[in-house]
Amino acid sequence: MNRTVLDLWVGFFVAIGLAALLFLSLKVGNLSSSHLSESYVLKAKFDNIGGLKVRGPVKSAGVVVGRIVDIQFDSATYEAVVSMTIDGRYQFPKDTFASINTAGLLGEQYVGFDAGGDEKMLSAGDTIAKTQSAVVLEKLISQFLFSKAADGQDKK
């Protein structure tokens, strides 16, 4: 094998390695599936979003149907306004319920959609009326401890 062919093969494998690194970094950053198909924006207001982040997934029945594109604070209502892009292939009824869930015990947080039974569908720019905020583990633990303390005082 002469030197030119060997250099060509090395260059080919280096190019494949760089492409694999680029693909991996896009996958880790949740940037690979952005804007390839038609989508629409929905908004939802939550009292507490916990650790929800921009570019987090929006799931329905465990399937990723969209991404979180923006999180803002509404100073008039003191709520977090979450904007989500939903893949145009998926339509949801007007009475869809949005909740903030956690993948696993300490996994990433995502917005979950539970479809309702309304015949009218959500359209671009609509705000989901029924929402459930994130469960804050520290609040649950403190409520449990305070209820146990209150039970202990009642028995005396």
Side-chain angles (χ1 to χ4, degrees):
M1 192 179 285
N2 71 21
R3 178 81 181 165
T4 308
V5 173
L6 186 64
D7 287 346
L8 189 64
W9 278 108
V10 169
F12 178 72
F13 283 114
V14 168
I16 288 176
L18 290 175
L21 283 175
L22 177 67
F23 175 76
L24 184 64
S25 63
L26 290 175
K27 275 301 226 190
V28 169
N30 288 332
L31 298 174
S32 61
S33 64
S34 62
H35 310 299
L36 293 179
S37 64
E38 196 170 310
S39 62
Y40 59 100
V41 176
L42 294 177
K43 292 184 178 184
K45 293 182 177 182
F46 296 96
D47 293 332
N48 188 343
I49 61 168
L52 196 66
K53 294 180 179 158
V54 174
R55 288 192 309 251
V58 178
K59 296 181 179 181
S60 181
V63 177
V64 176
V65 296
R67 293 275 171 200
I68 298 166
V69 292
D70 190 27
I71 299 172
Q72 295 182 344
F73 181 72
D74 185 359
S75 59
T77 61
Y78 300 105
E79 291 177 321
V81 180
V82 177
S83 299
M84 302 161 278
T85 58
I86 307 298
D87 192 329
R89 296 177 294 170
Y90 307 112
Q91 300 292 320
F92 292 95
K94 286 267 188 193
D95 59 347
T96 296
F97 192 83
S99 60
I100 297 176
N101 302 321
T102 303
L105 187 58
L106 299 173
E108 73 170 339
Q109 289 191 318
Y110 63 93
V111 175
F113 282 178
D114 292 322
D118 198 346
E119 293 179 6
K120 295 180 182 175
M121 296 293 171
L122 289 167
S123 58
D126 281 352
T127 300
I128 297 174
K130 299 176 181 178
T131 60
Q132 179 182 5
S133 296
V135 175
V136 180
L137 195 58
E138 292 85 10
K139 277 187 177 180
L140 283 177
I141 292 171
S142 67
Q143 287 174 349
F144 176 75
L145 292 176
F146 286 130
S147 69
K148 286 294 180 189
D151 287 347
Q153 289 180 350
D154 291 342
K155 290 181 181 177
K156 290 182 180 178

